[in-house]
Amino acid sequence: MKKTHSFHIPVMGIGFTIDTPLKVAQYGMDSVISLVDDILLEKLRKMYSEKFDIPYQEITEKIDDFRAKRITSYLNLLSDLAEKKFEDLKQMTSKKGDELLAYIQMLPDNSNLKADFKKLTSKGFSFSEIKTWASQNLVMGAIDVNIMTKVDKDNYKKGEKLPVEYNDAHAALRGFAKSKLNSSVVLSAGMNPRLYSYMGQFNDFFPDENGNIKKRIILKVSDFRSALIQGKFLAKKGLWVSEYRIESGLNCGGHAFATDGYLLGPVLEEFKTKREELQEAIQAVLNQELLNQNRMVPKQPLSIEITAQGGVGTEEEHSFLLEHYDLDSVGWGSPFLLVPEATTVDEKTLDKLTKAKENDLYLSDISPLGVPFNNLRNNTKDIEKQRLIDKNRPGSSCPKKFVAMDKEFKETGICTASREYQYLKIKALEKQDLTQEAYNKEIDKITTKSCTCVGLGTSALLKYNLDTKVEGDGVSICPGPNMAYYSKVMSLQNITDHIYGRTNVITRKDRPNLFLKELQIYMDFLNNKFEEAKTSMGRKEGKYFKVFINNMKSGVDYYQNLFNEVTTSFNDAKGTILNELEKTKTVLNQFQRELEAIPVKV
């Protein structure tokens, strides 16, 4: 299906895009909701039901399968409300056509729709003509959902472990599968074979004879090999991946899944050159499995889309990614946090984001999932965490338990950011014979974990004046490094004008090119890892660094060729970029020499 816009709004945190489709879908913009927090979804369903006079019946925890049912109900409500807004826009019942004009104005200038509309309205026209044209041509944006595949906690009832389909990610998937949505689920954070197999229980994920799929699969990946492995695995279940969404390993918001030194440019290049190979290899596996299951085999080969996201910040970068790598869409995340018409961010956090500079945005260890996490310094959740540490009562009360998955002390699982876990961990630490310095270091590692599964949703509660008695007022937020270059609150028109080059909202002149920025972040990451490992370098670590450095060097070579060959883009910054690439190569060679000189501990 032809997209209305060449950008999409990725999932952000737990609550920041929780109702984004209701704000932007009527303008043809695709966006993604997180399905982590069913408690938050239920609160918002109640709020929107009251606002639009829709009968509401609470889905309490006493109801069987309440998590999946809450998710289905929220998604159905959002679908109905977004459809209504879109219909009103097409019928021009809202503000006498202002919304329709806003839809047209925000389109890219090279849009055929925009040209058609200008042609239609340039001569005399009637409102009925415009209504007919709008009904036939305008497309609503997708209401997509995100499931972090590994956030799949076991659940218990009266002390008894429930079957695997009641696990968190499984229940979320079921909630989406049973909804009326015709959209996609974005699977992120790596492979979960049990969850992938479970998808095969829902007919909406399978193609019909014309190749239409009601519930499509988007895989978030950071390299080609991972896409091929996961795509084939799903095809063996009869499931097709409609889109491969490539995300920069480190130059993105939220959890940062660092690759082994694979940089975004070379990864996109590999997808571009092997796109057909990927499609054909997986199609063959899929067709065979559909026959095995006695299901409909589509008459025509199914299509795949390739999209990318992570650190894009200018129209020049946006256009380059689309054109040079033949992408179908580019994700714009962090800048949208400064657009209240699109995302849900409380005033205090919004203010902190507008003032944030490079040093305020850092890769932290605060996530209980044990994955590096992009963090905003001095966010209110971290201040709350420090207050508890100062009182000698570290850790959260853990009211929601969505990531209570560590089984070191308890079979049912505890969250590493919880007071219970940190108390037990510190007690165990006290029995070890550690120096004061080593002890302090370990204590920091334990207490740095923050209650993000609550903190990432609280902003929505504060924004809508909903009860935060259980959650508290602390907000965690996870913008990407790109946030440093945006310093004012924007309207939806402002940000779309910026994306399409009609205006420029970045006032700073020192923003590095997105490829260069990612390279710098990877160099910092490598440096930190290297310093940590120097004193106890084993064979495994030595091999890891060798592969990492070689991949980085290949990436730098690729960029040197790219920027030397490209004639129509990045001309103003080309000299600086090539100079930085040369410097980086020198540093990587130093790393290599140092690595070779370190004695490996067997």
Side-chain angles (χ1 to χ4, degrees), residues 429 432-444:
L429 199 63
Q432 294 177 33
D433 189 21
L434 296 173
T435 64
Q436 191 61 46
E437 190 187 352
Y439 177 78
N440 291 345
K441 208 172 174 182
E442 290 303 313
I443 287 282
D444 284 348

Side-chain angles (χ1 to χ4, degrees), residues 465-481:
N465 296 316
L466 298 174
D467 178 29
T468 57
K469 210 163 44 234
V470 173
E471 296 83 357
D473 292 343
V475 173
S476 309
I477 191 155
C478 47

Side-chain angles (χ1 to χ4, degrees), residues 267-489:
V267 170
L268 292 177
E269 190 68 50
E270 189 172 8
F271 272 93
K272 179 185 173 179
T273 54
K274 295 181 178 175
R275 184 173 182 151
E276 275 180 39
E277 184 189 315
L278 177 73
Q279 190 170 349
E280 286 166 12
I282 293 171
Q283 183 80 58
V285 176
L286 178 91
N287 287 356
Q288 187 54 55
E289 182 53 32
L290 291 172
L291 285 171
N292 295 349
Q293 291 188 28
N294 291 321
R295 285 185 180 271
M296 200 78 74
V297 176
K299 293 174 190 165
Q300 300 293 326
L302 295 170
S303 63
I304 59 170
E305 289 187 348
I306 308 289
T307 66
Q309 59 197 41
V312 185
T314 66
E315 183 272 335
E316 189 175 35
E317 290 172 354
H318 180 80
S319 298
F320 180 79
L321 290 180
L322 289 169
E323 288 155 23
H324 189 80
Y325 297 110
D326 299 332
L327 297 181
D328 296 284
S329 178
V330 172
W332 282 67
S334 299
F336 270 98
L337 289 170
L338 298 181
V339 184
E341 286 175 59
T343 53
T344 306
V345 184
D346 64 284
E347 292 304 319
K348 204 184 272 185
T349 307
L350 199 58
D351 185 54
K352 278 181 184 283
L353 289 173
T354 59
K355 292 170 181 163
K357 298 287 180 279
E358 284 92 340
N359 290 340
D360 301 310
L361 305 157
Y362 69 107
L363 204 55
S364 73
D365 291 319
I366 70 163
S367 171
L369 293 175
V371 177
F373 184 80
N374 280 293
N375 201 19
L376 173 68
R377 216 174 287 284
N378 294 323
N379 65 69
T380 51
K381 194 70 184 170
D382 281 356
I383 291 168
E384 182 187 286
K385 175 183 76 176
Q386 190 56 48
R387 215 178 286 135
L388 290 167
I389 293 169
D390 295 343
K391 279 185 187 171
N392 210 19
R393 280 181 62 72
S396 157
S397 62
C398 198
K400 293 191 173 178
K401 296 184 169 49
F402 293 123
V403 288
M405 296 188 291
D406 188 284
K407 300 199 172 180
E408 185 181 346
F409 300 111
K410 219 178 184 180
E411 183 49 38
T412 52
I414 320 180
C415 175
T416 58
S418 71
R419 185 168 300 146
E420 183 182 10
Y421 176 87
Q422 294 189 7
Y423 171 79
L424 293 168
K425 199 74 178 161
I426 291 166
K427 275 275 173 253
L429 199 63
E430 285 165 358
K431 292 175 186 165
Q432 294 177 33
D433 189 21
L434 296 173
T435 64
Q436 191 61 46
E437 190 187 352
Y439 177 78
N440 291 345
K441 208 172 174 182
E442 290 303 313
I443 287 282
D444 284 348
K445 269 189 204 168
I446 296 164
T447 59
T448 194
K449 300 299 178 198
S450 182
C451 180
T452 50
C453 85
V454 169
L456 289 169
T458 306
S459 194
L461 299 176
L462 294 172
K463 176 82 177 173
Y464 296 132
N465 296 316
L466 298 174
D467 178 29
T468 57
K469 210 163 44 234
V470 173
E471 296 83 357
D473 292 343
V475 173
S476 309
I477 191 155
C478 47
N482 204 19
M483 180 53 82
Y485 309 104
Y486 294 85
S487 54
K488 55 176 183 267
V489 173

Side-chain angles (χ1 to χ4, degrees), residues 85-150:
K85 277 192 162 188
F86 184 54
E87 284 308 312
D88 286 351
L89 179 147
K90 288 190 294 183
Q91 296 301 318
M92 297 191 292
T93 50
S94 55
K95 298 178 194 167
K96 297 178 183 163
D98 286 359
E99 295 284 284
L100 176 64
L101 286 176
Y103 187 114
I104 301 298
Q105 279 165 357
M106 285 191 275
L107 293 170
D109 290 341
N110 60 359
S111 157
N112 291 335
L113 267 183
K114 205 170 201 171
D116 281 355
F117 184 78
K118 276 185 181 163
K119 208 157 135 191
L120 182 68
T121 54
S122 59
K123 305 179 188 76
F125 63 90
S126 69
F127 279 112
S128 65
E129 263 183 293
I130 291 182
K131 279 184 190 179
T132 305
W133 176 85
S135 290
Q136 289 169 352
N137 292 283
L138 300 192
V139 178
M140 191 173 110
I143 303 174
D144 294 331
V145 302
N146 180 259
I147 294 175
M148 283 186 78
T149 56
K150 302 282 173 68

